[in-house]
Amino acid sequence: MGFFDGLRGGRAEFDSGSAGSNAIELHRRHQTVSLTKQDAATGNLRVNLTWRMRTSDFDSTQRTSLFRHPFRALKPPEILGHGQSMVNVDLDLGCLYELNDGTKGVVQPLGGYLGDVNAPPYIKLSGDDRFGSASGETMYVNLDHRDAIKRLLVFVYIYDQTPAFDRTHAMVTLYPSNGPRIEIGLDERHPQARSCAVVMIENTKDELIVRREVKFVYGFQGELDRLYGWGLTWGRGYKTKAEQ
């Protein structure tokens, strides 16, 4: 199998989430949650990636200029969304999968490997968002076939652009069929990283465990593969015009 070259944990526990936001945030001190214990191990699990550019790089310049030109504070802010540093970031959502029958592979926009939600690997990527729109990129996992799934590694990578994880606010959110959503923020600064292993979903002793990873690497999918021992063969690939 040839694609673009470009990817362990903690004790499982149940958390009912925040009453105010109806969300569970996975972080360094709380890394795991059980979908089985919150009765959410069936139906379609929706996995969503959204991102926007950090504004800190621009704020410092603006604060300095306000001392020299105080009346600029009365002017409406400029729209930064079309700047060169904004549009050159293209984050992609992907998933390495391993089924209980030994089948291994990847679901990702690159190469058009979009999967199938009703047949193996029971994962479907809905599309490719190049600019971090409000809807982002979405992947569906059919947990009605959870017995066929051994492990899934959800990852994010930057396609063929300058590494910019340090300039984006990226969030991966899991929406189970029941209970609170699960949020994993990619909030660590790794300026040269091109890929990030975000979350592992494992079927362990008939229990589906979601575990935060957030491990940045400087290569692409092949490096994530080596890190987690997937054992696939990788080659260079490109997006078609339709995918871009």
Side-chain angles (χ1 to χ4, degrees):
M1 131 194 253
F3 313 117
F4 190 80
D5 180 28
L7 167 177
R8 271 164 153 62
R11 179 171 55 89
E13 59 185 73
F14 172 68
D15 193 316
S16 60
S18 166
S21 64
N22 193 34
I24 296 172
E25 180 183 355
L26 297 186
H27 47 75
R28 289 179 180 270
R29 290 179 294 177
H30 177 198
Q31 299 189 25
T32 62
V33 65
S34 170
L35 293 179
T36 303
K37 288 183 178 179
Q38 68 180 47
D39 195 26
T42 59
N44 283 336
L45 172 68
R46 180 160 60 97
V47 182
N48 182 247
L49 164 68
T50 55
W51 76 93
R52 59 185 176 85
M53 296 302 296
R54 296 182 185 272
T55 58
S56 57
D57 295 339
F58 306 98
D59 290 345
S60 58
T61 302
Q62 183 177 0
R63 285 195 298 268
T64 300
S65 64
L66 287 179
F67 285 109
R68 298 179 180 178
H69 307 282
F71 290 104
R72 285 186 180 177
L74 302 178
K75 296 177 63 177
E78 296 180 5
I79 297 175
L80 301 174
H82 297 286
Q84 185 69 21
S85 62
M86 304 289 279
V87 300
N88 273 355
V89 179
D90 179 13
L91 299 186
D92 280 342
L93 181 67
C95 181
L96 283 165
Y97 62 84
E98 182 177 2
L99 305 183
N100 280 321
D101 66 1
T103 303
K104 298 179 181 180
V106 67
V107 172
Q108 62 181 18
L110 193 59
Y113 296 96
L114 302 182
D116 192 320
V117 76
N118 295 312
Y122 307 110
I123 307 162
K124 175 70 174 179
L125 188 64
S126 64
D128 181 11
D129 171 27
R130 294 196 65 203
F131 302 108
S133 67
S135 60
E137 294 189 6
T138 301
M139 180 184 299
Y140 297 91
V141 181
N142 188 345
L143 297 184
D144 288 338
H145 294 273
R146 62 191 178 278
D147 290 343
I149 297 171
K150 182 177 181 179
R151 60 174 180 160
L152 309 175
L153 181 67
V154 177
F155 63 90
V156 174
Y157 64 97
I158 298 175
Y159 169 72
D160 200 28
Q161 299 290 352
T162 303
F165 274 112
D166 63 322
R167 292 190 288 123
T168 60
H169 283 293
M171 174 77 70
V172 171
T173 306
L174 279 61
Y175 296 89
S177 60
N178 185 56
R181 67 183 183 273
I182 302 165
E183 298 178 343
I184 306 98
L186 308 187
D187 51 5
E188 299 176 12
R189 295 292 187 108
H190 290 269
Q192 300 304 313
R194 288 188 176 274
S195 306
C196 180
V198 180
V199 64
M200 181 77 80
I201 303 172
E202 288 186 291
N203 194 345
T204 305
K205 297 180 179 179
D206 296 323
E207 184 174 10
L208 278 180
I209 304 296
V210 175
R211 184 175 71 246
R212 176 188 183 271
E213 297 292 330
V214 189
K215 294 181 180 178
F216 291 87
V217 300
Y218 298 100
F220 292 94
Q221 294 92 318
E223 190 168 342
L224 292 174
D225 182 314
R226 290 187 290 272
L227 182 62
Y228 287 89
W230 235 266
L232 301 178
T233 300
W234 300 86
R236 189 167 181 81
Y238 300 90
K239 288 186 178 182
T240 65
K241 290 184 177 180
E243 291 166 334
Q244 291 181 3

